[in-house]
Structure formats: C-alpha cells, structure tokens
Amino acid sequence: MLDCQKALFSLPPDVHYINAATMSPNLRAVEAAGIEGIWTKSQPYQVTQETFFDVVEPVKPLFAQLLNAPDPQRVALIPSVSYGMATVAKNLKAKPGQRVVMVEGEFPSDVFAWEGVCREQDLQTVVVHAPEGQEGRGKRWNERLLDAITPGTALVVLSPVHWADGTLFDCEAVGRRCREVGAWLVLDGTQTLGSMPLDIQKIRPDAVVAGGYKGLMGPYSQGLAWFGEAFDDGSPLEENWINRSGSENFRNLMAYSREYRPGAARYSMGEQSNFILLPMLRAALHQLLEWTPAGIQDYCRSLIAPFLPEWQKLGFSLEKEDFRASHLFGLRPPVGLDADALRQELLRRRVYVSVRGEVIRVSPHVYNDEADVAALTEALKATIVGRVDNPPVRSA
C-alpha cells in the first residue's frame, strides 16, 4: 500500500486540495523538468535536429504502458481532448440515420465534436440519461447504456469514469457490445488514466484520448491519444512536416515526402516537440508508473473509507462502491443545504473541491492525507449544523 506522497509536491501545509479532477498539482520533479526545458529554449544553439525527436519518442511507451498497449507507435501527441475528438470525427464514416451514443452530462469537448458531423452525415445523437433516484443508479445507468447500443449505432463516446460524479461504466461490456453491432468505441480517459487501471487489450476500443493535466499529472495544453487499426489509413486533422517520413533529416525537408511516419504519427499535432511540456509529462508518467494506477486507486479508497459513514449520517449520499471511483466521486447533498454557506465554509477552511451540477465533486490523490479529508468533513458538518440551527426562511 502506498504511503501519502505529499512531500513530493509543493502544496502549502494549510491547503486541503482535494480537486485533482479539475487540475493536478505539479510534482516537484515535474517542476524541475519544466525549468530545465525552459533553459533548453534559452540556449537554442544546443537544439539539434535529433532533439526534436528525442523529446517526443520517450513519452509514447510510457503512455502505452499505462494503457497496456503493446505498440507505442500507436500513440500520438495532441494539445487537448477536443483535438483528439476532432481527429476521430474527421475519420468517422457512417451511414445516414446511424447514431452517435453518449451518456448524459458528458464533458463538453466530447459532445461538441459530433454536432457538425451529425449535420453533415445526417446522423442522430442519442443521450443515455441517468436514472432517477440513488438506489442502484450506477447499475441501471450501465444497463441503459448497453441497451442504447444497437445495430444502428456508428459510434459510442464514453468516459470510463464520469467527469462530474465519478460513476463507473463497464467499458469491457460496452466494448463487447460495440463489436457486436459494428460500432466504434472512443474513450475519453482524462479522468481515468493514471488514477485507475484501464486495459485496452480487454476493452478493445478504437481510440483513447486524454488531456495531460488531470490524472496524468502533466502540464496544461499537452495531451496524448492512442489510435487503433481503424485509423491506420485515416486523415490527420492537420498536415505538418514532422509527421512525414524522413523528417528526421532536415536536409531533405524540401523533398516534400507524401508518406507519413509509422503508426499514429500522422495524428500528432504540429510543433509537437515541446522542449518544456514534454519533459514535464515524461517525469509525471514515470512517477505514475512507479506508483501504479491500481496503487493510487487503493490509496484513495483507504483514505476515504473511514469518512463514508459520517458523510452519510450528515445526509450526503453517494454511489455504491461497485459503480463509483475512489479518486473521483460525487457527494449529493441533503435537501435544503445552503450551497452558498457551504462554499464559504470550504473557503474559510481552505478546502478545495468542485461543484458539478447538483453534486459536490471530491477528487483525492496520493498527496492528500487524513487531515485533508477531515477538513472537508468538518466543513460539511458545520454547514449542516448551521442549516439545522438556522433553517432557511421559506416564502409563502
């Protein structure tokens, strides 16, 4: 079992940051890698043609290892989830009337990518709504999702862990169903990868995209994607010099090669050789692989376990463990809770979580300890007690 890793970060001791689902803090090692990268750009005479590739290639096998992907050359470098989804959208070839399936409340970047495609190809968007009520909610939502994947489905877009409340979706079952009906499965792993296991050899998706600044604990504006065989002869979102065969030899750049580099290189963004961001992401991935996603998930589960009964006693509800993540979960407040009072109480105690919809989203990590979760619990308790002692005045 992992111990608390707070000493590896630069978080102030009086800050209770339980909000990795919004943005992870930098490891000290990631900070150092970024500073060293800045010095690289400050001394450009030391940058050679090899440097452009030396900062890129080591990142791919690290990401592939997180996915249990056998071929690192299927990994591409992207600036954002929206870029990765737009790449998928450009390559989707569906028949008029087919459907794009996603769950209710999916992240906006996973929704907007398909609006233009659906108009252009005359496709339908199907949103699988969350069930009413808390009892068996996760199980019923998974069942609804599987029922929605029919022979008329062209694509399923899914986050294995729902970004707003941490609901878990059975990606292996969804993958099987997609193969049965001939649909593509595209995963947004931003809130999953790094924090819990995701095995693409079991799930067999067609593509996985992820932003780098959350669970991957890397910098902002640097993400990664994995593309399966369906994309082997596809069209990239942009055309750039470095993704072409022979681009490692700068003397031959004006030969204008029409062939792409192997694997998914064609889908990597232009100016991918970021001498600052990529060393930061590489340092983060090394640390994640040392901790292991399973180890991080176990740490978070053990961290929150002693507090679950008290949260429920205060009137907060959350999904059953089989259908929720431990590194990201939603606390649903009791009826009548004063949201403004809770916000002020959290700020006063320097507790940082998020509110998404009607849910208080809590996302711990290995830099959190018992004191952090206790501070959150005290803030919840103080707000509930204040509500009981000073009930809101209801207008007639």
Side-chain angles (χ1 to χ4, degrees), residues 248-265:
E248 67 276 6
N249 188 343
F250 286 10
R251 290 184 60 186
N252 294 332
L253 290 182
M254 286 185 290
Y256 304 127
S257 172
R258 296 302 188 267
E259 295 182 7
Y260 294 107
R261 294 176 67 83

Side-chain angles (χ1 to χ4, degrees), residues 22-240:
T22 293
M23 182 180 294
S24 66
N26 280 332
L27 284 147
R28 295 183 191 274
V30 172
E31 293 174 9
I35 293 169
E36 185 176 348
I38 291 172
W39 280 111
T40 298
K41 180 62 168 61
S42 296
Q43 301 171 340
Y45 52 86
Q46 296 192 31
V47 177
T48 66
Q49 63 183 26
E50 289 79 17
T51 308
F52 283 82
F53 299 90
D54 290 345
V55 295
V56 170
E57 292 307 316
V59 173
K60 295 180 180 181
L62 298 176
F63 185 65
Q65 190 174 341
L66 275 181
L67 288 168
N68 192 26
D71 184 3
Q73 293 308 314
R74 290 198 173 277
V75 175
L77 280 73
I78 58 175
S80 62
V81 168
S82 58
Y83 188 102
M85 286 296 171
T87 300
V88 175
K90 183 173 182 177
N91 287 277
L92 179 65
K93 301 296 186 290
K95 298 176 182 178
Q98 285 193 294
R99 309 191 308 166
V100 174
V101 175
M102 61 188 70
V103 299
E104 180 183 2
E106 188 55 272
F107 193 75
S109 293
D110 297 338
V111 176
F112 295 146
W114 312 108
E115 292 181 349
V117 176
C118 287
R119 286 194 302 269
E120 294 164 6
Q121 299 190 29
D122 191 22
L123 307 179
Q124 302 175 28
T125 301
V126 175
V127 177
V128 181
H129 292 281
E132 296 292 332
Q134 278 298 106
E135 187 60 35
R137 177 177 176 274
K139 181 176 184 295
R140 290 184 288 134
W141 203 358
N142 271 268
E143 291 169 348
R144 287 186 178 186
L145 174 58
L146 290 174
D147 289 342
I149 304 170
T150 66
T153 302
L155 172 74
V156 177
V157 182
L158 183 66
S159 299
V161 175
H162 197 287
W163 73 285
D165 65 9
T167 301
L168 287 178
F169 294 99
D170 187 344
C171 291
E172 290 187 41
V174 172
R176 286 193 297 271
R177 184 61 179 150
C178 285
R179 292 191 295 277
E180 288 172 2
V181 302
W184 277 7
L185 172 60
V186 178
L187 301 179
D188 180 349
T190 303
Q191 299 288 16
T192 309
L193 284 167
S195 300
M196 65 183 301
L198 186 71
D199 189 337
I200 63 167
Q201 295 198 55
K202 294 180 179 178
I203 300 169
R204 295 169 62 187
D206 294 281
V208 181
V209 299
Y213 66 101
K214 297 178 187 281
L216 294 180
M217 306 196 78
Y220 200 70
S221 300
Q222 181 65 69
L224 292 159
W226 175 91
F227 293 101
E229 293 180 1
F231 292 85
D232 280 357
D233 297 312
S235 301
L237 199 59
E238 58 175 305
E239 302 290 353
N240 60 69

Side-chain angles (χ1 to χ4, degrees), residues 287-299:
Q287 183 60 78
L288 288 173
L289 289 168
E290 182 179 324
W291 287 332
T292 75
I296 294 169
Q297 191 68 195
D298 288 343
Y299 178 85

Side-chain angles (χ1 to χ4, degrees), residues 304-315:
I304 66 173
F307 297 92
L308 297 178
E310 188 163 5
W311 293 339
Q312 292 169 326
K313 185 178 179 180
L314 290 170

